[in-house]
Amino acid sequence: MEILGVDIGGSGIKGAIVDTDSGTLLTERIRIKTPQPATPEAIADTLKELVETIKWDGPVSCGFPARVIRGTVLTAANIDKSWINTPVEQLFSKTLGQTVFVANDADVAGIAEMHFGAGKEYLDKLVIVLTIGTGIGSAIFLNGKLYPNSELGHVIFHGGSAEKYCSDAAREKAGIKWKEFGDRFNEYLKHLEFVMHPDVFILGGGASKKFEKYADRFDLTTEVIPAKTLNLAGIIGAALYGEERLTGN
């Protein structure tokens, strides 16, 4: 199936037509700068611009940086607060004049990783995918099935949300080297390991590109590996999510 997958982020809105059978992009990835302020109407208009740029009139599915339940945004940790309680699927569908599917961005990145990335080897296990960027997103899979809208980046750790201590943005703000970041993230993973004891942690997002710089800092029982789908995970995973919604599988 061919679906336009869109990755909506704080700095850019990226999209491409995806072949969901192979996970390959059928068009060049288009990126449009996220409008500021990133209000619901402004994002919807930018999404329409992206669709028109690609000249696409087929199914559209998006990853979005918030908890999305039954088509409505319920959280706004790293986005404009005006998004809270916005019926995002309804808004996008009305703006584009067709049905648009929307899910949490970390969840769709995890879907891509389980289908076409490192997660393929763990379909019978408990897998936690963590996306490390401005915040920490999470996607939990048991026997290949997603438990949606988890927020493991917001567990209380060191007196606040974990992402304030060991996200990539926190690393940059603190001005620490990758080894020290690895020590911080190791602490965080040990906390999650104690609470959930998964079979594997898969690390994605921007910081996963530098995995080799801090991989030796982990001393967990749980396996820790880097993601493989990287920058394309959000686009590919959004398309796969759209396919699930369209087919019911």
Side-chain angles (χ1 to χ4, degrees):
M1 183 177 292
E2 295 181 7
I3 296 178
L4 175 59
V6 181
D7 181 6
I8 298 174
S11 61
I13 297 176
K14 304 168 285 284
I17 299 170
V18 178
D19 178 347
T20 58
D21 292 326
S22 64
T24 56
L25 271 55
L26 301 177
T27 61
E28 180 182 354
R29 186 187 74 154
I30 300 296
R31 183 186 187 277
I32 300 176
K33 187 176 180 180
T34 302
Q36 298 299 330
T39 61
E41 292 74 19
I43 293 290
D45 288 341
T46 305
L47 175 61
K48 183 177 181 179
E49 179 186 350
L50 186 146
V51 172
E52 291 174 345
T53 299
I54 295 177
K55 297 181 173 60
W56 178 247
D57 61 0
V60 178
S61 187
C62 307
F64 191 81
R67 179 176 285 162
V68 181
I69 297 179
R70 290 182 288 278
T72 298
V73 175
L74 297 185
T75 58
N78 296 305
I79 58 173
D80 196 274
K81 302 304 180 186
S82 62
W83 274 102
I84 295 177
N85 295 322
T86 295
V88 61
E89 288 192 340
Q90 179 182 323
L91 171 64
F92 287 174
S93 297
K94 181 179 179 180
T95 302
L96 268 61
Q98 63 169 296
T99 300
V100 179
F101 305 111
V102 184
N104 174 264
D105 58 349
D107 281 348
V108 302
I111 290 170
E113 196 62 28
M114 294 301 290
H115 276 75
F116 299 115
K120 290 193 302 181
E121 307 300 321
Y122 300 90
L123 294 178
D124 60 342
K125 306 292 185 182
L126 174 57
V127 179
I128 296 179
V129 180
L130 298 169
T131 58
I132 314 165
T134 302
I136 298 174
S138 62
I140 303 171
F141 296 86
L142 178 61
N143 296 327
K145 300 296 183 181
L146 172 69
Y147 176 85
N149 289 294
S150 62
E151 291 285 2
L152 298 182
H154 295 288
V155 298
I156 301 302
F157 192 66
H158 280 268
S161 291
E163 68 179 23
K164 302 297 184 184
Y165 178 70
C166 57
S167 66
D168 197 26
R171 177 191 65 82
E172 292 180 352
K173 183 178 180 180
I176 60 176
K177 297 184 182 300
W178 284 108
K179 295 293 186 183
E180 186 175 346
F181 168 79
D183 291 336
R184 287 191 179 197
F185 213 82
N186 185 57
E187 287 182 70
Y188 169 59
L189 292 185
K190 281 188 170 183
H191 182 62
L192 295 185
E193 181 181 58
F194 176 77
V195 174
M196 302 188 68
H197 202 77
D199 294 287
V200 62
F201 289 110
I202 300 177
L203 306 187
S208 66
K209 300 175 191 175
K210 303 292 185 180
F211 182 79
E212 74 283 353
K213 292 184 178 294
Y214 56 89
D216 63 346
R217 314 308 286 183
F218 299 129
D219 60 352
L220 294 83
T221 301
T222 303
E223 189 175 4
V224 183
I225 59 176
K228 293 182 178 179
T229 49
L230 301 176
N231 283 347
L232 299 180
I235 291 174
I236 296 169
L240 290 170
Y241 175 74
E243 181 183 42
E244 290 178 9
R245 291 283 297 275
L246 283 167
T247 64
N249 296 324

